[in-house]
Amino acid sequence: MPGFALIDQVKCALEDWNETTSDLDLMNGEEFPAGRPLKSASVLIPIVARDDSANVILTRRTATVRHHAGQISFPGGRKEDHDRGPAATALREAQEEIGLDPRNVEILGQGPVHETATGFLITPVVGCVASDFTPVLQIEEVAEVFEVPLNYLADLSSYRIESLEWRSARRYFYVIDYGSYRIWGATARILFGLAERLKT
């Protein structure tokens, strides 16, 4: 599907998308303890639209960062006191991490918040990025920036479920591979949710 038609489809998918998600979605009704302290954060799902395609920008984190070292993630991070909402947080973090000027991003909307096992409440913000964007990496946090076709990420058959032992319990999570990249955890869960919406 042409890139700009996909952008219109994403806009429609984001309308009235209110259900929350969590790292426990595949755990047969298990829930996190009520009232546990959560840190507010936002991520940007940056989509580059071109005449013939639309790609999602993702990052590979360095091996030395405190959280999720070496993993694939969206640009994003914790809310700061001066941020004026989730979009402001996501845009600030994207500028810091990959040099994305907020003026080159059209905010399309946001998805439902996602609660992580590590105590973050993440709001995904979706933005259309100018096609001539050239990343400038914050080398302390970001090892690599790459693009994945949105058509591929929107295909529910691209995803599978895996598990691991974490804190004395078996945890299940979504995984999607793209070439040598293994996208899993909260990033894959957020993408899976968007894929479900795009299919409705």
Side-chain angles (χ1 to χ4, degrees):
M1 182 180 293
F4 294 102
L6 270 173
I7 292 297
D8 289 338
Q9 191 176 348
V10 169
K11 283 183 180 179
C12 292
L14 293 172
E15 293 178 0
D16 301 318
W17 186 14
N18 299 315
E19 69 272 22
T20 60
T21 61
S22 89
D23 284 353
L24 298 182
D25 283 348
L26 299 173
M27 298 298 295
N28 296 320
E30 182 180 343
E31 296 182 355
F32 292 117
R36 71 178 185 133
L38 294 169
K39 300 174 282 290
S40 294
S42 295
V43 297
L44 182 69
I45 305 177
I47 303 175
V48 181
R50 302 181 178 91
D51 289 340
D52 59 346
S53 66
N55 293 342
V56 175
I57 298 171
L58 291 167
T59 72
R60 180 171 61 83
R61 298 175 67 79
T62 64
T64 56
V65 292
R66 182 176 179 184
H67 297 290
H68 312 297
Q71 293 184 18
I72 306 303
S73 66
F74 303 111
R78 292 180 64 165
K79 177 184 182 297
E80 295 187 358
D81 291 341
H82 57 79
D83 290 337
R84 305 177 76 177
T89 300
L91 290 171
R92 174 181 53 75
E93 288 284 343
Q95 185 170 30
E96 292 174 2
E97 293 181 7
I98 62 173
L100 178 56
D101 190 328
R103 294 173 296 183
N104 292 330
V105 183
E106 176 193 354
I107 298 298
L108 303 178
Q110 64 185 51
V113 295
H114 178 85
E115 184 175 349
T116 72
T118 51
F120 285 90
L121 198 61
I122 301 171
T123 300
V125 177
V126 185
C128 184
V129 177
S131 60
D132 60 353
F133 166 62
T134 300
V136 179
L137 278 59
Q138 184 184 44
I139 58 173
E140 294 82 5
E141 293 189 24
V142 180
E144 182 181 2
V145 173
F146 62 99
E147 297 183 12
V148 182
L150 180 56
N151 274 330
Y152 177 75
L153 296 171
D155 184 353
L156 293 173
S157 68
S158 299
Y159 297 81
R160 66 182 185 277
I161 296 172
E162 291 188 0
S163 68
L164 55 75
E165 196 78 16
W166 189 72
R167 294 184 179 176
S168 302
R170 176 62 54 178
R171 300 294 183 188
Y172 293 85
F173 50 88
Y174 290 101
V175 178
I176 179 170
D177 294 319
Y178 181 69
S180 62
Y181 301 106
R182 182 173 184 266
I183 307 164
W184 66 287
T187 301
R189 179 64 185 93
I190 291 169
L191 286 170
F192 182 83
L194 180 58
E196 285 186 310
R197 292 289 295 186
L198 288 169
K199 292 300 181 185
T200 58

